[in-house]
Amino acid sequence: MSDNPQIRDVLAYVEARENELGEQAGQLRASIEDLTARLGELDAETENLRITRKTLLNIPAPKPADDPPRPEAPDHPAYQQILAAFTDTGRPMRARDIYQVLDLPILPKHTEGIRSKLKRLVTRGILTEPEPGLFTQPRT
């Protein structure tokens, strides 16, 4: 070392400053290592999310559940009139009620004909019979 006191003071300052800067650089390197590790974790999670999104977008949409086929009513106009009467009133009815809704004369032989048509519609699942002689449309 130099014998000059001024140079010694300057060298001591330079050495102290060098140590201080080395310590700060070490802290920054440690911070950089921490940040690099955190950045790697974030990149990995981002990649996982991209893969998840891609996977979800490639899943085919579920096919809609097929509704059970609706039973078909016979083509005869009498059946169409009976069903129209149920649709218009929206309430359970007996054979006599159908005649009143359709504004037809109530005759015993006709009432039995309507009753048999109503029973046929029950058999096909178009109407239900919650109690004997009372007919209604099934709830959907």
Side-chain angles (χ1 to χ4, degrees), residues 49-112:
L49 291 173
R50 277 191 204 115
I51 292 169
T52 301
R53 181 186 322 109
K54 184 178 179 181
T55 302
L56 290 173
L57 289 173
N58 287 328
I59 293 175
K63 295 185 179 193
D66 292 336
D67 291 334
R70 293 195 46 103
E72 292 187 28
D75 288 335
H76 193 276
Y79 290 100
Q80 303 305 320
Q81 290 174 334
I82 291 170
L83 293 175
F86 277 101
T87 303
D88 291 344
T89 63
R91 62 179 171 83
M93 292 189 284
R94 299 189 181 281
R96 293 179 64 93
D97 300 330
I98 300 284
Y99 270 100
Q100 289 173 345
V101 170
L102 296 177
D103 199 28
L104 297 171
I106 301 172
L107 300 172
K109 66 177 185 174
H110 294 153
T111 305
E112 286 306 314

Side-chain angles (χ1 to χ4, degrees), residues 118-132:
L118 291 168
K119 292 280 190 181
R120 186 169 294 130
L121 292 172
V122 169
T123 303
R124 291 186 177 204
I126 297 169
L127 295 178
T128 61
E129 189 176 11
E131 63 182 59

Side-chain angles (χ1 to χ4, degrees), residues 36-56:
T36 302
R38 286 182 54 201
L39 180 61
E41 291 169 2
L42 292 175
D43 285 342
E45 188 173 349
T46 301
E47 184 60 24
N48 288 341
L49 291 173
R50 277 191 204 115
I51 292 169
T52 301
R53 181 186 322 109
K54 184 178 179 181
T55 302
L56 290 173

